[in-house]
Amino acid sequence: MKIVEIRTHILAAPLAVPFAFSQGWVRTRAAMITEVVTDEGIVGWGEALCQGLQPPEIAAATVEYALKPLVIGKDPLDVEVLWDIMYNQTKDYGQKGAVIGAISSIDVALWDIIGKYHNLPVYKVMGGAHRTNVKAYATGFYRRGEESELRSAWIEEAKAHIDAGFMGMKLKIGLGVKEDIKNVGAVREAIGPDYQIMVDANHGYNLCDAKKLGLALESYDISWFEEPIAPEDIGGYRELRQAISIPLACGENEFTRIGFKDWFVARAVDIIQPNTCQSGGFTECRRISAMASAWGVSYNPHCWGTGIGLAAALHMLAIIPPNPISIYPNEPMLEFDRSAHPFRNELITKPFKAKDGYVAVPEGPGLGIEINREVLQKYRIN
C-alpha cells in the first residue's frame, strides 16, 4: 500500500456570537484538515489544531510544501518511520508550533488508515483500551458580553452543564485576580461541593498574580489550575507548584516528548495536557504518555478542535494508563468543548454526545468516524 495523495482543507466559519478568553476575542472558528489517500482506496483523516488565534494556513502550507514531498509514495503502515522522517527533516525550523501540528495531522490520518486496513479501531491497533467509556468535563465559560453580566451568565451555564449530565466543568479565568476570585466563588456556591471545577487562565498571569490567585482559590476545591503563566516558564511553574496546593496543569502549548522531557525533569507540573492533533499525533503522544507514567504525572489531553480532533482524543484516552494504577486510580478525562463550533458537530456524520457525563470511544475501523464532504466543501476556503 502506498500514499498517493495528500489534500489539505482549510475551514473557517464566522461566529454569530463572538467570545473572549484571556488572549483575545474569537470571532471565527477555523480548522486545518488533512486527507491522506492510498492506492488501495483507503482514506485517512487528520487535523492540525488551530490553537488560540492561529491562522490555519500555516499548518496547511507546512503539509503542502514541507511534509507532502516526504511521504508521497511511502507505505502508510510505516507510521513511526514516517514520523521520524517528517520531524528530522523539519526540526531545524519547526521543533514547536504549527509545524508539529502539521506532522500531527498526517500522523493521525495514517493511524486512521492503519485501523481501516486492519478493520479495527485505532485504540486496538495501538495496543488496547484501559477504558472504552471516558468521563467528560465541560469546557466553556467564555466572556460574551458585558463583564457585569458575566457572573450570572456563568452560574446559568454551570447549571446547564449539570443538567446535561456533566460532573465537572472548566472555567475560563484570566479576567483579573479579584474578578476571577468572585466569579469562581459564585459558581462554586451555586453548584455546591459535589461537582468538579477546574480553572484555565490561558497563560494570562505573571507569577506573582498567579500565586495570589492560586492561594485565594484553594478554599473552592479546585481540581486543577491550568496554564496560569506563560507556557515557556518552566521555572515559574515549579515555583508556583511549591507555593499552592492546587494541582498545576499545562502542556497544550508544548510539543513532542523532547519538549515535555524538561517539564518532567523539573518536577514542574502535576497534569500534562498534550493535544493529539498538535503535540505530535498518536505516534508521539504515546511516547509522551509513557514518559508521564514513568514520572508519575497524570495525562489529560487538551481537546478544542473538530470532530476529528475529538475522535483522536477519545482513542488516546482509551490507551492512557491510570495514574496511579490502583483500586482507586486517577482516570484521565475528556475535555468536551461546548462552545460554538460548527466543525465539531457538522463535519462528522454522527456527532459525539455525552451520556450521564461519559463519552464512548468510537468502535468503528480507524478513528470510527465518517466525514460529511458537503460540510467540508461548505466551510472550505482554500
Side-chain angles (χ1 to χ4, degrees):
M1 184 163 55
K2 303 295 181 185
I3 299 168
V4 295
E5 181 60 281
I6 296 179
R7 305 184 185 109
T8 57
H9 305 271
I10 301 172
L11 311 182
L15 293 176
V17 181
F19 58 83
F21 66 118
S22 69
Q23 299 302 309
W25 282 88
V26 178
R27 304 183 189 281
T28 300
R29 292 302 289 257
M32 202 293 283
I33 306 303
T34 297
E35 178 185 5
V36 178
V37 182
T38 70
D39 60 353
E40 294 189 12
I42 302 175
V43 174
W45 296 93
E47 174 182 355
L49 176 72
C50 292
Q51 181 68 299
L53 303 173
Q54 174 189 324
E57 289 85 355
I58 303 173
T62 302
V63 170
E64 289 286 351
Y65 299 109
L67 303 178
K68 182 176 177 177
L70 298 176
V71 299
I72 287 290
K74 301 295 196 303
D75 186 342
L77 302 183
D78 294 338
V79 60
E80 297 204 32
V81 173
L82 294 180
W83 196 97
D84 289 340
I85 289 172
M86 289 188 289
Y87 178 74
N88 285 295
Q89 289 291 313
T90 59
K91 68 181 179 180
D92 286 351
Y93 55 86
Q95 294 180 23
K96 296 180 185 289
V99 171
I100 303 300
I103 292 173
S104 303
S105 73
I106 292 179
D107 184 81
V108 168
L110 294 180
W111 280 101
D112 189 25
I113 290 169
I114 292 169
K116 290 171 180 175
Y117 178 80
H118 292 288
N119 198 32
L120 292 169
V122 166
Y123 76 80
K124 277 288 188 184
V125 293
M126 288 196 296
H130 288 277
R131 63 200 65 79
T132 56
N133 211 26
V134 181
K135 184 179 179 181
Y137 68 90
T139 286
F141 300 93
Y142 295 97
R143 177 181 173 182
R144 291 182 173 83
E146 294 298 324
E147 201 155 315
S148 60
E149 303 170 353
L150 184 66
R151 208 161 302 146
S152 59
W154 276 21
I155 292 171
E156 183 179 340
E157 181 176 346
K159 291 179 178 178
H161 294 320
I162 291 171
D163 289 343
F166 292 93
M167 294 296 295
M169 58 201 72
K170 187 162 71 180
L171 314 183
K172 285 290 186 177
I173 60 173
L175 305 175
V177 172
K178 292 183 179 179
E179 197 65 23
D180 283 344
I181 295 169
K182 293 177 183 177
N183 293 338
V184 174
V187 172
R188 174 55 81 196
E189 182 180 359
I191 68 174
D194 297 331
Y195 299 92
Q196 281 186 278
I197 290 179
M198 289 71 78
V199 296
D200 182 3
N202 289 110
H203 52 86
Y205 287 113
N206 59 32
L207 180 58
C208 180
D209 286 339
K211 284 183 182 179
K212 289 179 184 178
L213 181 56
L215 290 169
L217 294 180
E218 286 181 336
S219 62
Y220 296 130
D221 188 21
I222 304 302
S223 295
W224 70 67
F225 190 174
E226 183 172 330
E227 275 209 315
I229 59 177
E232 309 95 327
D233 189 4
I234 297 177
Y237 275 86
R238 186 181 183 198
E239 185 175 334
L240 182 59
R241 187 171 184 244
Q242 294 168 341
I244 67 174
S245 63
I246 302 173
L248 290 186
C250 71
E252 67 185 73
N253 290 301
E254 189 55 89
F255 306 85
T256 77
R257 67 193 184 281
I258 298 160
F260 279 95
K261 174 193 67 176
D262 294 334
W263 292 88
F264 297 136
V265 171
R267 296 284 187 183
V269 65
D270 300 286
I271 301 159
I272 59 163
Q273 300 171 300
N275 191 297
T276 312
C277 294
Q278 183 188 31
S279 295
F282 288 120
T283 296
E284 192 66 354
C285 285
R286 293 169 77 200
R287 297 165 177 169
I288 296 168
S289 174
M291 292 172 66
S293 179
W295 285 94
V297 175
S298 295
Y299 188 134
N300 274 289
H302 174 263
C303 185
W304 203 66
T306 72
I308 296 171
L310 192 52
L314 283 164
H315 284 281
M316 191 67 211
L317 280 157
I319 70 169
I320 296 170
N323 175 42
I325 295 178
S326 68
I327 190 170
Y328 296 116
N330 291 321
E331 294 281 5
M333 295 188 293
L334 172 69
E335 179 173 18
F336 201 94
D337 175 23
R338 300 192 79 207
S339 64
H341 195 335
F343 318 138
R344 183 180 60 250
N345 292 329
E346 295 180 35
L347 185 61
I348 56 177
T349 57
K350 294 182 179 179
F352 292 102
K353 295 181 180 180
K355 182 178 180 181
D356 299 325
Y358 284 79
V359 179
V361 180
E363 292 291 339
L367 291 175
I369 57 174
E370 291 186 21
I371 300 300
N372 186 329
R373 287 190 179 271
E374 290 183 4
V375 173
L376 195 70
Q377 289 302 117
K378 175 181 177 181
Y379 293 110
R380 194 172 188 268
I381 62 172
N382 65 320

